[in-house]
Amino acid sequence: MPYFCLNNINWNDEGLIPVIAQEIDTGKVLMLAWMNWEALEMTIESGHAVYWSRSRKCLWQKGEQSGHIQIVKAIYLDCDNDAVLLQIEQIGGIACHTGRRHCFFKRLEEKNWIIVEPILKHPQSIYKNTDEQYS
Amino acid sequence: MPYFCLNNINWNDEGLIPVIAQEIDTGKVLMLAWMNWEALEMTIESGHAVYWSRSRKCLWQKGEQSGHIQIVKAIYLDCDNDAVLLQIEQIGGIACHTGRRHCFFKRLEEKNWIIVEPILKHPQSIYKNTDEQYS
């Protein structure tokens, strides 16, 4: 059955929508990434988050290399139909390609960005090929 | 003192960055909006969220009409410097211009977007001028 629900979405000029991934158990905001139609369809179909990599210009099955997949528990669309919220379970407890729990690890303090989260696992031990470190 | 910290940000081609507003006490993701340099500078300076309205093409002091201002408690930048997370206190308990607590009120169920949040206050009683209902 086709995904008519995706017609409701206000995709941007590049055919993308920003997607927030939030850990369902803790409420922690893990990352912001982007999806195109196909990525969102694959996400709905598989129950695992699939994004569009703007830098690599390809679909990006989150965790395909690292094993840090995101199991989707709920998908929300906002009032203007131009932002998505995924509530997910983060396998491995690491969402960020830097090896941290989540991507928002720089906090503004006295007009400086201070790193406030530890690296849990070094990226070199997560990714075999650093060109694909976003997966 | 100038905001050198804003030089670190990867602004998009329109000079904007997506900003997630999260309620600090509950962890609830309230909305996704956009900021330009000036909006983020004003947010840091004032301690209240100021966004850039892409539809109206102007700065948008959140709550200027509705009173539903957002008091900023922490500002985070992500690994790629292209997304911001604000942790805020939402005055009035309503972040969405539809009169709901937050903007992500449509949940995907059986391939349909279902409204799962009630309207707490009707927009007509929040905004005098519906052209400015986003403030």
Side-chain angles (χ1 to χ4, degrees):
Chain A
M1 182 181 156
Y3 285 87
F4 295 121
C5 55
L6 304 193
N7 284 319
N8 294 110
I9 291 178
N10 286 329
W11 305 96
N12 74 7
D13 291 345
E14 297 168 292
L16 303 176
I17 190 168
V19 178
I20 303 160
Q22 180 185 36
E23 195 167 57
I24 192 161
D25 285 349
T26 63
K28 200 133 196 103
V29 174
L30 301 184
M31 53 186 277
L32 185 142
W34 294 78
M35 289 187 185
N36 62 5
W37 180 297
E38 195 179 356
L40 185 47
E41 196 173 294
M42 287 174 70
T43 298
I44 298 167
E45 196 66 34
S46 68
H48 295 174
V50 178
Y51 299 103
W52 175 258
S53 167
R54 294 180 304 164
S55 55
R56 292 185 289 129
K57 300 194 188 311
C58 63
L59 288 167
W60 154 40
Q61 164 89 48
K62 174 77 184 156
E64 63 193 357
Q65 256 209 57
S66 62
H68 299 153
I69 65 173
Q70 295 179 338
I71 299 173
V72 177
K73 301 295 187 175
I75 303 177
Y76 295 88
L77 184 61
D78 79 344
C79 49
D80 295 327
N81 302 323
D82 60 5
V84 165
L85 172 66
L86 292 187
Q87 289 185 333
I88 58 112
E89 180 189 344
Q90 177 63 61
I91 300 301
I94 294 176
C96 186
H97 74 286
T98 65
R100 293 180 175 87
R101 183 173 173 205
H102 60 88
C103 297
F104 293 96
F105 58 79
K106 288 174 271 192
R107 189 164 63 205
L108 193 65
E109 290 179 12
E110 305 284 334
K111 299 183 181 175
N112 290 300
W113 300 106
I114 308 295
I115 292 178
V116 293
E117 293 280 336
I119 292 171
L120 300 178
K121 195 169 175 183
H122 198 282
Q124 284 177 346
S125 69
I126 300 177
Y127 305 101
K128 298 162 220 147
N129 179 347
T130 52
D131 288 345
E132 294 177 35
Q133 66 178 5
Y134 285 87
S135 63
Chain B
M1 184 184 157
Y3 286 86
F4 294 121
C5 54
L6 302 194
N7 284 320
N8 294 109
I9 292 178
N10 286 329
W11 305 96
N12 74 6
D13 291 345
E14 297 168 292
L16 303 176
I17 189 167
V19 178
I20 303 160
Q22 180 185 36
E23 195 167 57
I24 193 162
D25 284 350
T26 64
K28 200 134 196 102
V29 175
L30 301 184
M31 52 188 276
L32 185 143
W34 295 78
M35 288 187 184
N36 61 6
W37 181 297
E38 195 180 356
L40 185 47
E41 195 173 293
M42 287 174 70
T43 297
I44 298 167
E45 196 67 34
S46 68
H48 294 174
V50 178
Y51 299 104
W52 175 259
S53 168
R54 296 180 303 165
S55 53
R56 293 186 287 130
K57 301 193 188 311
C58 62
L59 288 167
W60 154 39
Q61 163 88 49
K62 175 76 183 156
E64 64 193 357
Q65 255 208 57
S66 62
H68 300 152
I69 65 173
Q70 295 178 338
I71 298 172
V72 177
K73 301 294 187 177
I75 302 177
Y76 294 88
L77 184 62
D78 79 344
C79 49
D80 295 328
N81 301 324
D82 61 4
V84 165
L85 172 65
L86 293 187
Q87 290 186 331
I88 57 111
E89 179 189 345
Q90 178 62 62
I91 301 299
I94 294 175
C96 185
H97 74 287
T98 64
R100 293 179 175 87
R101 183 173 173 204
H102 61 87
C103 297
F104 293 97
F105 58 80
K106 287 173 273 191
R107 189 164 63 205
L108 193 65
E109 291 178 12
E110 305 285 335
K111 299 185 182 175
N112 290 300
W113 299 107
I114 307 296
I115 292 177
V116 293
E117 293 280 336
I119 292 171
L120 301 178
K121 195 170 177 184
H122 198 282
Q124 284 178 346
S125 69
I126 300 176
Y127 305 102
K128 299 162 219 145
N129 180 348
T130 52
D131 288 345
E132 295 178 36
Q133 68 178 4
Y134 285 88
S135 62

